[in-house]
Amino acid sequence: MMTISVCIGSACHKRGSYAILNRFKALVEEKGVSDKVSVTPAFCFGECKNGVTVKVDDKLFLGMTEESAEDVFNRYVLPKLS
Ligand code: FES
């Protein structure tokens, strides 16, 4: 199971991390991969100054937006599933 953890610590929350969390959840549903990928909220990763932080397994992605969430999903998450 791959895990996408989206920081909901206060700095990331203020920058819209819930929208990013929901975007990842919607992408997982759209692609029908909910049996392979879990999307979960997470606490501060210590990268608060760098925008919304997302961790995919052990890799951190900084400064995430809803658009880059889609990018990370298509370019990083999906290829690892096949
Ligand atoms: S609040 Fe998200 S990295 Fe600190």
Side-chain angles (χ1 to χ4, degrees):
M1 185 70 124
M2 184 182 267
T3 304
I4 301 175
S5 309
V6 180
C7 180
I8 53 156
S10 58
C12 290
H13 181 206
K14 277 188 204 131
R15 288 166 153 147
S17 63
Y18 274 97
I20 293 167
L21 180 74
N22 288 331
R23 190 79 196 100
F24 274 119
K25 284 185 175 168
L27 287 162
V28 164
E29 283 305 312
E30 260 171 48
K31 303 287 180 187
V33 292
S34 54
D35 55 332
K36 293 181 184 151
V37 183
S38 76
V39 180
T40 177
F43 294 112
C44 181
F45 291 120
E47 296 287 349
C48 319
K49 289 198 172 97
N50 294 310
V52 178
T53 306
V54 171
K55 195 165 152 209
V56 180
D57 287 341
D58 287 328
K59 188 166 167 49
L60 279 181
F61 292 90
L62 308 176
M64 295 290 293
T65 62
E66 281 187 72
E67 291 73 39
S68 63
E70 183 146 9
D71 251 33
V72 165
F73 190 80
N74 288 329
R75 293 187 197 171
Y76 187 81
V77 175
L78 282 182
K80 289 203 164 200
L81 298 178
S82 48

